[in-house]
Amino acid sequence: MIKWLFKYSAVIFVFNSILLAIPQTIPLGEVIFLSLMGLYIIVFLMNINQMKNVIFHKAFSFLLLISILNIVYFFMFHSFVDLDAIKYLLARTMQFSILAVSIYFSYDYYRKKFLAHLVYFATVIIFLGLIVDPYLLSGRYSGLMWNPNMLSSFTTVAFGVLLLKNNRFSRFDYFLLFLFLIISLATGSRGSLVAIILAYVLRYGASKRNVLYAFLALLSALLVTSLPFDTSVNRFVSQSMFNDRILQYKFAIQSIAQNLFVGYGLDKYSYIDMSLVPLYLEGKVKGAHNGYLAILTQYGIVFGSVILFIILRQCIKVIRYFRQSIGVERAFLFIIIYALFASVYESIITGINEFHTSLFWFSLSYLSLSIFKLENES
């Protein structure tokens, strides 16, 4: 049981983030999350010497540094009566531990099978969604998810992973690629266009095939925008990429300025100080909708800048190392780069249980260990 938990806890953690995005399975997802955290803490303490080798492993040093900064920040600006801050500190620390330990002890599984299982899981969720709600073009489609943007994040990641991890495709793969593409566009999320374009660029570069696809995509876009739908293309043409985000950024920046050096606290991720928002805008302004601003709001400019530096430095390291890679590494690279782009218009990389956020930290950890293994083999 302990060995199994060490190996596959990251799979449970990542897949459970989808259950937490489906209204009907949120109670189940919460039970799984709390049970996983509680059981993992017990197992961690029972195997502290073995865990120490993983936690202090060179490949996961960026996770350790962020965890240490979280602890230092807590003792400087929180007290033990700040229960929400304690919850965040424990959850983030255990999240990093789960990912690092699971990847370390089951590296071959994550290299050979995990992405395929991710695609299968996405397929099941999408088909169940189509059974419950088959009306793709009756508005912004959300399937089983509570939010169309959440479904878009899920399906575009599945699309990119399937497109990039395989060198050859079966007929069923082509069917799934088409399905993921249609669902992603039907969500009306403009971010899905970023993911789709990024996936194609990583797959084909500036080849003639890519130019042809771009031409066909342009023709399709012209056709779609002439129809009364609410797809990603329609919303992009009618509203622009940041149409409803500028207001969020404005108040996020004002919030940062209010607590410039110390921030609002560990539990205030994706936070906006609502006392700064006029009453007539309260329904429109809900969060930072920008991962980078969210971190600065949470930690303040001192701690926030250091944490952003650690994250971006590690991202640049793995991107430079694997920029010419194909297959699994390229698929994980797509997840990281997409998250960096998505963090401009969504609060990616800051939370605990959001799907793309969890997958971002997982992918960064996996590729960091891959670098260590490849360098030591050579």
Side-chain angles (χ1 to χ4, degrees):
M1 176 65 180
I2 293 176
K3 185 178 180 181
W4 187 91
L5 185 67
F6 282 170
K7 284 189 172 184
Y8 303 114
S9 53
V11 183
I12 300 171
F13 191 91
V14 172
F15 285 9
N16 189 59
S17 64
I18 295 302
L19 297 182
L20 289 166
I22 301 173
Q24 294 82 354
T25 58
I26 287 176
L28 174 62
E30 290 176 344
V31 170
I32 292 174
F33 174 76
L34 293 174
S35 300
L36 178 63
M37 286 293 177
L39 182 60
Y40 205 86
I41 289 173
I42 295 171
V43 172
F44 186 94
L45 295 174
M46 290 173 59
N47 298 269
I48 192 67
N49 290 329
Q50 196 174 8
M51 295 297 96
K52 189 166 58 177
N53 295 330
V54 180
I55 301 304
F56 291 99
H57 194 285
K58 181 181 178 182
F60 306 123
S61 59
F62 70 101
L63 298 178
L64 179 62
L65 285 173
I66 294 174
S67 298
I68 291 173
L69 285 171
N70 281 336
I71 294 170
V72 172
Y73 182 93
F74 177 84
F75 281 107
M76 288 182 66
F77 304 113
H78 286 288
S79 66
F80 286 102
V81 298
D82 296 331
L83 295 182
D84 288 338
I86 293 174
K87 290 177 183 177
Y88 177 88
L89 179 64
L90 290 174
R92 176 63 92 193
T93 303
M94 293 314 300
Q95 178 195 38
F96 285 172
S97 299
I98 286 171
L99 297 179
V101 171
S102 189
I103 293 169
Y104 182 85
F105 285 109
S106 196
Y107 178 82
D108 285 342
Y109 163 76
Y110 292 112
R111 181 168 59 87
K112 297 176 181 178
K113 298 180 180 180
F114 172 69
L115 291 178
H117 291 167
L118 178 64
V119 170
Y120 297 152
F121 186 60
T123 304
V124 171
I125 295 296
I126 288 171
F127 273 114
L128 290 175
L130 288 172
I131 293 172
V132 173
D133 181 9
Y135 305 105
L136 278 177
L137 300 176
S138 61
R140 294 192 63 192
Y141 185 73
S142 57
L144 293 177
M145 305 292 185
W146 70 275
N147 180 285
N149 289 337
M150 183 64 236
L151 179 61
S152 168
S153 176
F154 188 43
T155 54
T156 51
V157 165
F159 173 83
V161 165
L162 181 56
L163 182 68
L164 295 168
K165 77 179 183 68
N166 294 340
N167 292 322
R168 296 180 180 180
F169 301 106
S170 65
R171 291 180 180 177
F172 185 63
D173 288 334
Y174 281 118
F175 167 74
L176 288 181
L177 284 170
F178 179 74
L179 177 65
F180 294 151
L181 179 63
I182 293 300
I183 297 293
S184 298
L185 294 176
T187 63
S189 171
R190 288 155 289 176
S192 63
L193 298 179
V194 174
I196 293 164
I197 293 170
L198 175 63
Y200 271 110
V201 169
L202 288 176
R203 172 78 189 193
Y204 300 113
S207 66
K208 293 180 180 179
R209 181 183 296 183
N210 213 20
V211 174
L212 174 62
Y213 283 151
F215 177 72
L216 293 174
L218 179 61
L219 290 179
S220 301
L222 292 174
L223 174 62
V224 170
T225 53
S226 67
L227 300 173
F229 298 144
D230 201 17
T231 68
S232 301
V233 179
N234 294 83
R235 294 185 74 234
F236 181 82
V237 171
S238 64
Q239 299 181 20
S240 86
M241 191 69 184
F242 301 102
N243 181 67
D244 54 351
R245 293 292 188 257
I246 302 301
L247 200 62
Q248 322 282 349
Y249 300 163
K250 173 185 175 182
F251 289 105
I253 292 171
Q254 289 183 15
S255 297
I256 293 169
Q258 285 292 110
N259 285 339
L260 184 62
F261 295 105
V262 301
Y264 285 84
L266 293 178
D267 54 313
K268 301 296 191 298
Y269 52 93
S270 188
Y271 179 77
I272 284 180
D273 186 345
M274 296 306 294
S275 67
L276 302 173
V277 181
L279 288 176
Y280 69 93
L281 289 176
E282 282 191 0
K284 296 182 178 180
V285 179
K286 298 179 181 179
H289 281 289
N290 181 295
Y292 309 109
L293 293 179
I295 287 176
L296 294 176
T297 305
Q298 182 181 13
Y299 293 97
I301 197 168
V302 178
F303 276 82
S305 296
V306 175
I307 287 175
L308 282 175
F309 173 78
I310 293 170
I311 294 171
L312 294 176
R313 180 176 177 272
Q314 193 66 22
C315 289
I316 292 170
K317 179 181 178 180
V318 300
I319 290 170
R320 291 181 63 184
Y321 195 93
F322 291 109
R323 65 184 183 277
Q324 301 297 333
S325 298
I326 60 174
V328 171
E329 286 77 16
R330 185 168 57 181
F332 281 120
L333 209 59
F334 160 77
I335 293 168
I336 293 171
I337 298 173
Y338 177 29
L340 294 177
F341 277 114
S343 291
V344 175
Y345 52 83
E346 294 289 355
S347 297
I348 305 294
I349 75 179
T350 57
I352 303 294
N353 276 318
E354 197 275 331
F355 170 73
H356 197 180
T357 299
S358 299
L359 210 52
F360 165 79
W361 289 110
F362 175 89
S363 301
L364 194 57
S365 301
Y366 172 86
L367 290 182
S368 297
L369 183 59
S370 296
I371 292 175
F372 178 85
K373 286 179 174 289
L374 290 170
E375 288 182 343
N376 279 271
E377 285 176 3
S378 60

